[in-house]
Amino acid sequence: MTAGTPWAVLYSETGRAGLATATAEERAHILGFEKQVAESPYTCGELYPDRVGGLYTALLAVGGRMAWTSVLYRIDEARHEVLIVAIVSGP
């Protein structure tokens, strides 16, 4: 891969389900996040301490409410891919 090549962004089944059930406003923010994470996945979220490792979490402000929507994702260096694992919305 050449420097500056965007990462491929994929959705797990759970991630697709979260996107499908998101409100229109949440979906717009999530799709905006997708563009950001394709450019720089390591700077869009924070490493989340899970058992497997390598899970990142990003908190999105939707409707002026920070952390209303969280996106959990993994980075696959070998494939130059970002997998959106889950989308969690709500207080």
Side-chain angles (χ1 to χ4, degrees):
M1 292 286 155
T2 59
T5 302
W7 292 67
V9 179
L10 309 169
Y11 286 80
S12 69
E13 286 184 36
T14 306
R16 283 191 301 273
L19 186 61
T21 59
T23 66
E25 186 178 23
E26 289 169 333
R27 193 173 302 112
H29 284 274
I30 294 164
L31 295 176
F33 172 77
E34 183 180 318
K35 291 177 184 176
Q36 293 174 347
V37 79
E39 292 299 319
S40 183
Y42 291 104
T43 61
C44 289
E46 296 182 9
L47 195 55
Y48 184 82
D50 69 320
R51 290 179 291 173
V52 177
L55 184 67
Y56 287 77
T57 185
L59 304 176
L60 307 182
V62 176
R65 297 173 301 233
M66 184 51 116
W68 186 258
T69 302
S70 300
V71 178
L72 300 171
Y73 64 97
R74 291 195 187 280
I75 300 170
D76 186 333
E77 282 279 341
R79 293 183 173 167
H80 203 71
E81 293 177 347
V82 175
L83 177 65
I84 295 181
V85 178
I87 299 167
V88 180
S89 296

